[in-house]
Structures are given as structure tokens and as C-alpha cells.
Amino acid sequence: MDSCLMVWHMKPQSRAYRFTGHKDSVTCVNFSPSGHLLASGSRDKTVRIWIPNVKGESTVFRAHTATVRSVHFCSDGQSFVTASDDKTVKVWSTHRQKFLFSLSQHINWVRCARFSPDGRLIVSASDDKTVKLWDKSSRECVHSYCEHGGFVTYVDFHPSGTCIAAAGMDNTVKVWDVRTHRLLQHYQLHSAAVNALSFHPSGNYLVTASSDSTLKILDLMEGRLLYTLHGHQGPATTVAFSRTGEYFASGGSDEQVMVWKSNFDIVDYGEVMKVQRPPATLASSSGTLPEVDFPVPPGRGRSQESMQSQPQEPVSMPQTLTSTLEHIVGQLDVLTQTVSILEQRLTLTEDKLKQCLENQQLIMQRTTP
């Protein structure tokens, strides 16, 4: 373990910055909203704030008494929140470089903590199987979500700030409304622990990373699985959309970082982000849903190996339209099959009801003197 931090440019042949200073493995990183600062957490129990364009300069926060698992800046960049194996969540002032307060109702390691988009709330996920919602001003726990059946590995806010999504060792992803605390959606699509998730900037999609080596993209508006992505040769440990939503990146225990192009929704993301909608109400999805590969336009089929190493190429509108129509036809087939099954069940129910009425009439005739 080299305990170093590296910052990369997406452009080919661009330089990468390498920062050293942590005394043990780096566990988490997060850029400030402006991009001028970078925070990193480590097993050495510290958080460091770096200036990405100035090599080697950092401010050290002796943050916790155990491994720092998570660090996240508030939307105004004035503060950041950390989560640790010492069972606490702590909030810090970025520019005054001081500790502000601690949130300490978890009874096991805290894996993740995030600010809401408006900075008023904090959400945390823990090995005590709970997700806790905190009010930053009062420093009180507003609500505890206890529906997970195992350690909760990751949690984040929907871009609208009205919902949260959490991933767990129980192989599930759950979405709650933070205003009513009602469970909106429940997904059990992975065959192993879900390690991370990320909302698309539009708020319409969610991508998950799992120890079953797959990534899955969920349509939150319809409450269904869109795609299952196979690329990592081992557990997929982290995933995140880019700020524009055009790309998403994933990392895994196979020591690979993969960058994918999210061409499943070719729209003007800037316009969509102006009207961010929360997910649809309660939808429960299980592993019985069909799994489909990330769509490759006709005539551009590539091997699994090339899919693993490169993002998908931009596609022309006619090809995209063809792919979309094929997807719609496939969904219509599924819908037709579903309607057929419902009709069969309705017919069976009608037959049973008719039989019950006939039996009731026989009983009445027998009991009548």
C-alpha cells in the first residue's frame, strides 16, 4: 500500500498529480463544489484537504480515533462531513480548519455520511443496520430507517433533496422520502452485497455496484431495472456519475477503473436538471426482472474485452432511434405477456368466486326447512 493520492485529467496524455502525506491506505476522496479543494480520508484516522493544482500542500485534520470511511463537502463548500469506524459522524469548517460538532447515535462503524443538496440535512449509513437522518442546525437525529437486514454500506441524497437511497450487505437498495420517511422503492436485484450507488444528475436514474461483479442501472421513474453491466472481474466496489451525467466510472477489486458512456438517455441534461423529480412511489423489484446488456448500436458490436476497456462511442440519431424502438417493442412484449397472465388469473378468480357462490347456495338450500 503506497498511501498516496492521485488526481487525473480525463484528456488523453494529460498529467496526473500525485499527493503523499497519509500514513496508511486512503479510503475516500471528494472534491469541493468549486473543484478548488480535494478532501481525502485514510486508515491513519486523518482527513487532509489538498489544493489539486499545488503539489504537496495540505491541511491535516486529526479527525477520528479510527479509520475514516467517508468525507463529503457541503454544497457551499464551507464545511465537510466525515464518517468513521469510531461510530461517529463529524462536521468540520473548511476554511476555519476546525471541528464543529459530532453526531454519535450509531452503535457500530459508520460507513458513509452525506450532506443534502441544500446543506440542511445529513444522512449516515452504519454497520448497525440503520440509516440516520440528521438536522444540521439542531444536531438531532430526525429519523432512523431500520429496514435493512444487514450492514448499510452506502447512502446518498437524490439531487432534488427529497429522497435518499441506501445500499446494503443484504443485497438490496432502498429509497425513502425524507419528508414522510416512507419507503418509496425497494430493489433486490443483485446476488451479493451492494457496495455503492450514484444518482444521475437528472435524478431519473440510479447506478449500483455490487460484490457480484456487476453494475446495474435503475429507472427510478418507472421503478425497474434498465441494464446490467458486466465488466469487472470480481467485486465492483465503487461507482459514480460525472457532474454532467454523460459518463460514469466504476472501480473494483480487480484493480481496474472503468469509464462508461451513459448513452441510455440522450437528452439535454442541463434542461432536465432544472426540473428534478423525485422517484415514483413504492415499487418493489426482485431478481426475476430480465437482465440486459448495455446497448450497442447495430453495426457497432464489440467484444466483451473492448467493452471492458473503453467507453461506448457516440451514436448517430437514426441508430439510437432504432435501438430505442427495439427496446420499446421488447417492453411491449413483456407488457403483453403480463396482461395475458393477469387475464388468466382474473379468469381463475372468477371461476373460484362462481364456485363459492354455488356452494353457498347449496348450503342454504340444505339448511332451509
Side-chain angles (χ1 to χ4, degrees):
M1 297 180 290
D2 58 9
S3 306
C4 75
L5 185 69
M6 300 190 73
V7 180
W8 306 83
H9 282 283
M10 287 292 289
K11 295 179 180 179
Q13 300 179 344
S14 294
R15 65 182 294 190
Y17 296 96
R18 182 185 181 99
F19 301 124
T20 57
H22 282 295
K23 307 302 181 185
D24 205 337
S25 303
V26 177
T27 56
C28 52
V29 292
N30 184 241
F31 274 102
S32 65
S34 67
H36 295 153
L37 297 175
L38 174 65
S40 60
S42 170
R43 289 183 182 273
D44 66 9
K45 309 173 189 177
T46 70
V47 170
R48 287 178 179 261
I49 303 295
W50 312 80
I51 303 174
N53 292 326
V54 181
K55 186 175 180 180
E57 291 191 9
S58 67
T59 302
V60 182
F61 294 78
R62 310 219 172 268
H64 291 272
T65 59
T67 297
V68 180
R69 293 287 177 184
S70 168
V71 59
H72 184 245
F73 280 100
C74 188
S75 57
D76 61 8
Q78 298 298 309
S79 58
F80 62 93
V81 61
T82 58
S84 170
D85 287 358
D86 64 9
K87 307 176 188 177
T88 67
V89 174
K90 293 187 178 182
V91 179
W92 309 79
S93 170
T94 306
H95 300 295
R96 286 188 290 166
Q97 301 177 7
K98 62 180 291 187
F99 167 74
L100 295 179
F101 58 87
S102 180
L103 307 171
S104 53
Q105 290 189 24
H106 283 294
I107 58 174
N108 207 334
W109 295 357
V110 187
R111 301 250 185 171
C112 182
R114 291 287 185 271
F115 276 110
S116 60
D118 61 9
R120 294 188 305 106
L121 300 171
I122 295 170
V123 67
S124 57
S126 170
D127 282 6
D128 64 9
K129 304 180 184 179
T130 70
V131 171
K132 292 188 183 295
L133 188 67
W134 311 83
D135 184 287
K136 182 185 173 185
S137 298
S138 66
R139 307 177 187 179
E140 295 292 331
C141 178
V142 177
H143 191 79
S144 291
Y145 303 91
C146 306
E147 284 89 343
H148 274 286
F151 298 166
V152 188
T153 55
Y154 200 90
V155 68
D156 202 1
F157 278 93
H158 185 272
S160 68
T162 59
C163 305
I164 54 172
M169 297 284 283
D170 58 0
N171 310 352
T172 69
V173 172
K174 300 179 189 294
V175 181
W176 293 277
D177 189 315
V178 298
R179 299 161 297 183
T180 63
H181 310 307
R182 190 162 62 95
L183 180 66
L184 296 178
Q185 296 181 347
H186 167 86
Y187 298 93
Q188 190 160 6
L189 302 168
H190 287 286
S191 59
V194 186
N195 298 315
L197 54 80
S198 179
F199 283 102
H200 187 272
S202 68
N204 295 340
Y205 304 96
L206 185 75
V207 62
T208 60
S210 170
S211 292
D212 64 11
S213 80
T214 69
L215 308 177
K216 292 182 186 285
I217 296 177
L218 311 176
D219 184 331
L220 298 177
M221 293 299 99
E222 297 187 14
R224 66 186 180 93
L225 172 67
L226 279 183
Y227 310 114
T228 293
L229 310 181
H230 301 272
H232 288 284
Q233 305 300 314
T237 54
T238 186
V239 67
F241 275 108
S242 63
R243 191 173 295 274
T244 63
E246 186 179 3
Y247 297 94
F248 59 97
S250 61
S253 61
D254 57 2
E255 303 178 1
Q256 289 191 82
V257 175
M258 303 182 69
V259 180
W260 309 75
K261 186 170 178 61
S262 52
N263 59 358
F264 55 88
D265 188 24
I266 302 177
V267 295
D268 183 347
Y269 294 130
E271 291 300 316
V272 173
M273 288 169 67
K274 293 178 183 177
V275 189
Q276 293 166 340
R277 297 178 295 167
T281 53
L282 183 62
S284 179
S285 300
S286 66
T288 57
L289 284 175
E291 294 188 354
V292 295
D293 290 327
F294 205 77
V296 181
R300 295 195 184 185
R302 291 185 287 176
S303 67
Q304 180 69 23
E305 181 178 350
S306 64
M307 280 286 288
Q308 292 174 0
S309 60
Q310 299 176 1
Q312 294 187 5
E313 298 174 1
V315 296
S316 62
M317 286 308 295
Q319 291 172 327
T320 304
L321 183 59
T322 300
S323 178
T324 302
L325 288 173
E326 289 175 352
H327 179 72
I328 290 173
V329 170
Q331 293 303 309
L332 286 174
D333 288 340
V334 173
L335 184 60
T336 301
Q337 293 172 11
T338 303
V339 171
S340 177
I341 292 171
L342 289 174
E343 288 178 345
Q344 292 174 12
R345 290 181 178 178
L346 184 59
T347 301
L348 288 172
T349 302
E350 290 175 345
D351 291 343
K352 288 182 180 179
L353 181 60
K354 184 178 179 180
Q355 185 177 0
C356 287
L357 290 173
E358 290 175 351
N359 290 338
Q360 187 177 11
Q361 289 176 356
L362 288 173
I363 293 171
M364 291 180 64
Q365 290 173 0
R366 291 173 182 173
T367 54
T368 302

